[in-house]
Structure formats: C-alpha cells, structure tokens
Amino acid sequence: MSGVVESVQAKAQEVAKEDYDRAKALINDAAKSGSYLYPIKGIFYFLSHRSLWKPLLKKLAPIVTLSVGVVTGMFFFTYVPQLALMTFVNGPLAVITTAVLVLNESSAVISFLSRNFVMQDALLDTFDGTLVSRGATNLVSEGRELKSGRDPIQRLGKVLKNPFQRFSPKALIRYVMYLPLNFIPVVGTVAFIILQGRSRGSTVHDRYFQLKRWSASQKAQWLSEHAGPYSAFGVLATLLEMVPVASVFFSFTNAVGAALWAADIENKETEMTDGTAPGLREAAKKAE
C-alpha cells in the first residue's frame, strides 16, 4: 500500500515539476518579447496620433450608451444576489470579488454586443490605420485598397478581406465554464483573468495573420511557439477592457497595441522573430 502511495506522490511531483517548468518557460518568453508592454504602448500611441481617433469618435455615442447601460443594469440586477452567494465563500472579500465578477460579466456582454453590432469595422480601421502609420502599407494592401495621402485613416479604402467573425459560441461557453473560478477568493479571480487573457491573446493578430496569408496550420504553429507573449498581451488587454465605460476605449488602444506589435514583428524589432520557424519564415517571404 505504501508503495502505491509513494508512486502516486512521485508521479504528482513529476507532473507538478513539468507544469512549473512549462509555466516558467512561458513567463520567460513573455518577458523577453516585451509583449505585455504593447497594450500600454497602444494607449500612448493612440493618444498621440489624433488621426487614429476617427473610428472611435464615429462610434462613440452608441458605444458609451451601450457600456453605461450594460454595466448599470448588471450591477442593479445581479450584484446583490451574487454578493449574497459570494459572502458564504469569500467572507469580507465578497464585496470586491463580486464587483470583479459583475465587471467580467458586463465586459462579456459589452464585448458580444459591441463587436458584433457596433464597432467591428471601426476596430479593423484602427488596426489597419496603425499599420499604415508605421509604414506597413505593402502589408495592409494585401487586405484592402489604399488611397494616396498622409492621413492613415483617410488612406483606407475598400476592405478586400475581413478577418472578423461573429461572436464565437465557443468563447461564450468557455467564459461560462471559467466563471465559477471567481468563487475562489483572490486566486480564483486571478486564474479567471489569466484564462480569459490567454483566449483573448490568441485572437489579437488574426488580421495580421490574414494579411500575411498564413494558413491555419502556420498560424497555430506560430501561436504555439509564442504562447507566453500572446498570453501576456491578452491578460493585460483583458484587465484594461474590464474597466467600466472605459473598456471600449481600451478595446481601441489594444487594437493599436496589437498593430504596433505586428509592425515590430514585421520589422524584426522583437525577440520573437529570432525564433521564427523556417516554414513560417518562408511563408512570410512568399507573402511579401
């Protein structure tokens, strides 16, 4: 009997060590790439380039109305019932953890409604406009017509390829599956944000991959090799987009940050390009 217990313990230690080493490697990759800085860079770049404000300003009124309505409604109708339940689990921390939970729920609703019905085209223009402002016109021309001029947004013409899809049922199912983690004090909420950020990070360069003409397998290989950097970007982007009302503003600055990151990858100004797989490098050259 003792031999079985020792065997199980040894196996558990082996698995724990593997998970620890994997997590350590992901963190090291994220730190080396500096991907976690791009959501912040996106804020400053967006604020300093007024031409990039145009897509947001066109959608500002309906977006703000939607965000305020959703957050207010969610807190009014769901905060107290969830607080009563969370109190049994989290005790005094329930006031904070419940607020985070409601913000997460509000963020999901706002994301679903705004991305599908309000700002889909505006985010695409923001991403492409940022690439144009960084001089990546050859790349952007793979997915839309470009006009002459100096204003990056005004240069954007007819879209030839649209990367955005309607809200994925899998994303909603995954969100609902992970939601109970918030019932675990502090650690559960952090785990929820990390898992959501990992999912968010895997989609931030969908447009970039499309413009590069990468296949689904090439995209999957790249994301697998750079899971740490994309997860780090996604976590910070998720945290920013959890801010009530301002979440939509951060959706646009995150789009800018993702485009800046893509531009740096194109210019090989990031550590990630040092490890580009041969197949991807060849595909990238063909796309150029």
Side-chain angles (χ1 to χ4, degrees):
M1 183 66 179
S2 60
V4 174
V5 173
E6 291 177 356
S7 176
V8 171
Q9 289 178 339
K11 191 63 176 178
Q13 291 176 351
E14 180 183 347
V15 171
K17 185 178 184 303
E18 290 178 357
D19 289 344
Y20 172 78
D21 291 340
R22 187 179 298 111
K24 183 179 178 181
L26 289 175
I27 293 173
N28 287 337
D29 288 344
K32 288 174 60 179
S33 71
S35 62
Y36 55 89
L37 296 175
Y38 283 96
I40 305 302
K41 291 180 179 180
I43 296 174
F44 289 102
Y45 196 88
F46 182 83
L47 293 175
S48 62
H49 291 72
R50 302 188 61 157
S51 60
L52 298 178
W53 299 3
K54 295 175 183 177
L56 171 60
L57 293 177
K58 288 181 179 179
K59 303 290 185 180
L60 190 59
I63 287 173
V64 170
T65 301
L66 173 65
S67 299
V68 172
V70 169
V71 173
T72 301
M74 290 294 292
F75 270 94
F76 184 80
F77 290 107
T78 71
Y79 181 78
V80 174
Q82 292 184 94
L83 177 62
L85 181 61
M86 296 284 278
T87 299
F88 290 103
V89 180
N90 296 341
L93 291 175
V95 174
I96 298 175
T97 55
T98 304
V100 173
L101 178 59
V102 174
L103 287 175
N104 276 313
E105 294 165 346
S106 301
S107 176
V109 174
I110 293 170
S111 177
F112 172 76
L113 296 175
S114 61
R115 288 182 180 275
N116 282 280
F117 304 107
V118 180
M119 60 185 194
Q120 195 174 57
D121 294 338
L123 288 173
L124 177 60
D125 288 346
T126 301
F127 187 92
D128 287 355
T130 302
L131 286 177
V132 171
S133 72
R134 286 291 304 270
T137 54
N138 289 337
L139 182 65
V140 177
S141 63
E142 293 291 333
R144 74 190 306 162
E145 297 176 355
L146 289 177
K147 307 173 185 176
S148 60
R150 300 182 61 183
D151 187 306
I153 298 299
Q154 290 183 350
R155 292 193 62 186
L156 301 178
K158 179 182 178 181
V159 176
L160 304 176
K161 300 176 183 178
N162 194 327
F164 294 116
Q165 300 177 349
R166 291 295 178 185
F167 188 78
S168 169
K170 289 184 179 180
L172 181 60
I173 293 172
R174 185 180 293 110
Y175 174 84
V176 174
M177 287 176 55
Y178 293 151
L179 200 58
L181 286 172
N182 288 280
F183 289 96
I184 304 174
V186 184
V187 176
T189 300
V190 172
F192 176 83
I193 293 173
I194 291 175
L195 289 170
Q196 285 295 105
R198 183 177 180 181
S199 176
R200 175 82 167 84
S202 66
T203 65
V204 298
H205 275 167
D206 281 352
R207 176 61 166 176
Y208 175 57
F209 299 144
Q210 183 191 54
L211 295 175
K212 296 292 290 181
R213 298 183 180 181
W214 284 0
S215 66
S217 61
Q218 289 170 328
K219 171 185 172 182
Q221 181 182 352
W222 174 266
L223 290 175
S224 175
E225 293 178 351
H226 304 291
Y230 280 98
S231 295
F233 182 101
V235 166
L236 190 50
T238 298
L239 285 171
L240 290 173
E241 291 179 15
M242 285 173 57
V243 179
V245 182
S247 62
V248 172
F249 167 78
F250 288 126
S251 293
F252 281 85
T253 62
N254 286 336
V256 172
L260 293 176
W261 188 14
D264 284 347
I265 293 175
E266 279 297 285
N267 296 329
K268 297 178 174 55
E269 295 176 1
T270 170
E271 291 284 341
M272 292 170 62
T273 54
D274 294 338
T276 303
L280 294 179
R281 188 180 299 112
E282 181 180 351
K285 290 181 178 178
K286 290 181 179 179
E288 293 173 355

